[in-house]
Amino acid sequence: MKQKDIFIAFFRAGMLGYGGGLSAIPLMHREVVTIYKWMDDEEFSDILALANTLPGPINTKLSGYIGWRLSGFKGLLCAIAATVLPTVVLMILLLTVLNAYKDKPWVQGMSKGVIPIAGVMIGVLAWDFIKKSKQSMGWLATIVIAGISLIVMQFFGIHPALMIIALVAAALLSKEEKR
């Protein structure tokens, strides 16, 4: 595995993932699964689910683990550097410029325009995961688990990591045989 490919993949995801960690996940998915084919959708989904249970920024956890898996310690350092570098550079440059022009309408419009774009990117990734769940569990189980998760997280304030841990525990303790 070339370190250059790892760097380019995670740099692109970091550079284009404007709006925070969640908006970069679909970009990482595209790089890792679609473009470079380093893993399949199921592996990426598993890594994403486990990364969500750990504290800290999701991008660095995903890139670090995937880099480690692809090329050991060098891959880990390369992937994390590529993920963090665009954020550091852009944060210094953009925040300096945006702060200087914060009262201008074009800056306010740009800031407001990012929110729906990031929402659509997250929605597309969520829909892909729902379709994959339907293939492995069927529509009924997918809808029931998604509905219960939504209710428990939104109305009872339970953290998503606790939901993931509960579902992993239920899967591990399940007496049903694997197909």
Side-chain angles (χ1 to χ4, degrees), residues 126-148:
W127 181 247
D128 285 344
F129 286 153
I130 288 172
K131 288 190 301 190
K132 285 171 189 53
S133 295
K134 178 237 175 205
Q135 291 171 354
S136 63
M137 298 186 314
W139 274 120
L140 181 62
T142 299
I143 291 170
V144 167
I145 290 173
I148 291 171

Side-chain angles (χ1 to χ4, degrees), residues 61-82:
K61 292 181 285 187
L62 281 174
S63 62
Y65 179 75
I66 294 169
W68 172 267
R69 189 163 161 195
L70 295 174
S71 189
F73 191 69
K74 285 182 183 179
L76 176 137
L77 291 177
C78 185
I80 290 177

Side-chain angles (χ1 to χ4, degrees), residues 78-94:
C78 185
I80 290 177
T83 300
V84 172
L85 187 63
T87 303
V88 170
V89 171
L90 287 175
M91 188 170 72
I92 292 168
L93 293 175
L94 285 176

Side-chain angles (χ1 to χ4, degrees), residues 1 9 18 33 37 57 59 77 80 82 97 109 111 115 117 126 133 145 148-149 152 157-158 160 163-164 176-178:
M1 187 65 47
Y18 188 80
V33 175
K37 297 180 182 6
N59 287 355
L77 291 177
I80 290 177
V97 171
S111 298
I115 295 169
I117 293 168
S133 295
I145 290 173
I148 291 171
S149 299
V152 168
I158 303 296
M163 290 296 303
I164 292 169
E176 188 177 319
E177 291 184 29
K178 284 187 173 182

Side-chain angles (χ1 to χ4, degrees), residues 44-54 58 62 164 168:
F44 187 86
S45 299
D46 290 344
I47 293 168
L48 178 61
L50 292 173
N52 272 319
T53 64
L54 300 172
I58 189 72
L62 281 174
I164 292 169
V168 168

